[in-house]
Amino acid sequence: MSSRRLGPAFFAAPTLDVARGLVGCTLVHGRCAGVIVECEAYTDDPASHYVTRRRQGRVMAETHGRIYIYRSYGVHHCLNFTTDQHGVGAVLLRALEPVQGLDLMRRRRGLDDPRALASGPGKLVEAMGISPRLDGRAVLDAFELLAPETPLSVDCGPRVGISRAKDLPWRFWARGSRFVSRRS
DNA sequence: TGGCCGATATGCT
DNA sequence: GCATATCGGCCAA
């Protein structure tokens, strides 16, 4: 059990490796947990906050293994983990398959369907009860991350909702999962 | 200091 | 599939 637990060194790796490696891991926060079924990698590409939000995005270059939370479209918050000890990077968590604390997630989201609880970056933050105040903290201070028990197939494709660098296949998801924010 | 622009979610057609 | 609410971050002036 504890052998599945990821350590801080996990985040030191290149961003694409971290992103791919996060798919299938279980994210634990408080009484709730979910399997990460979708995430996206950002580095110093034109769609990255390292470029478009220079001040906020600096954390992508200066840290790894830290929480980066930003506000999106006024009302939603999105959760990232910074990566790559030698370079610029962060991974945006986009969807979870809820596995623990479903009732609490339902209450927070105000709906029942498990597939709608955390199938989007803003949704998962709300469902898991993740506070924006966690911004800047060490990932493993606020979360527990458990590696998958069995290997799984990970697919990749273009990232969602961006207008620049649309061609980069830096979105990663668990093959066949019905809990992703959208189907390829 | 003003104006533009989203790494979105939701509801309606 | 499409419109739109909503507001912080950013940069030009």
Side-chain angles (χ1 to χ4, degrees):
Chain A
M1 184 62 95
S2 62
S3 62
R4 290 177 58 206
R5 188 183 289 134
L6 300 185
F10 175 80
F11 299 101
T15 306
L16 296 183
D17 295 340
V18 175
R20 185 175 281 274
L22 278 173
V23 177
C25 290
T26 300
L27 182 74
V28 184
H29 182 66
R31 289 173 37 218
C32 296
V35 176
I36 299 169
V37 295
E38 180 187 349
C39 64
E40 288 176 354
Y42 290 84
T43 63
D44 58 354
D45 60 279
S48 171
H49 282 185
Y50 180 69
V51 173
T52 64
R53 298 193 184 189
R54 280 244 224 146
R55 179 147 78 215
Q56 286 193 135
R58 211 164 55 202
V59 70
M60 296 173 65
E62 294 174 349
T63 73
H64 59 96
R66 309 293 284 234
I67 295 167
Y68 166 46
I69 295 179
Y70 68 90
R71 202 181 180 91
S72 181
Y73 290 90
V75 285
H76 309 290
H77 291 276
C78 297
L79 173 66
N80 299 254
F81 299 153
T82 65
T83 56
D84 193 342
Q85 67 176 325
H86 298 301
V88 179
V91 175
L92 168 70
L93 299 194
R94 288 196 54 90
L96 303 178
E97 174 178 345
V99 294
Q100 203 172 104
L102 284 266
D103 288 341
L104 185 48
M105 293 190 196
R106 289 189 172 104
R107 222 172 306 145
R108 287 169 173 154
R109 291 273 299 127
L111 43 82
D112 284 342
D113 182 1
R115 280 159 63 166
L117 288 178
S119 54
K123 297 179 186 179
L124 82 84
V125 165
E126 185 174 31
M128 294 287 284
I130 294 165
S131 166
R133 302 176 60 177
L134 292 177
D135 184 53
R137 301 263 300 279
V139 172
L140 298 179
D141 282 357
F143 301 99
E144 192 175 352
L145 274 168
L146 305 175
E149 293 181 35
T150 60
L152 73 161
S153 298
V154 178
D155 290 333
C156 68
R159 296 172 294 183
V160 173
I162 54 171
S163 57
R164 315 177 67 176
K166 284 180 167 174
D167 48 315
L168 297 175
W170 288 0
R171 173 186 180 222
F172 299 90
W173 65 91
R175 181 175 299 169
S177 174
R178 287 165 305 219
F179 294 85
V180 296
S181 65
R182 45 170 98 170
R183 293 275 218 156
S184 58

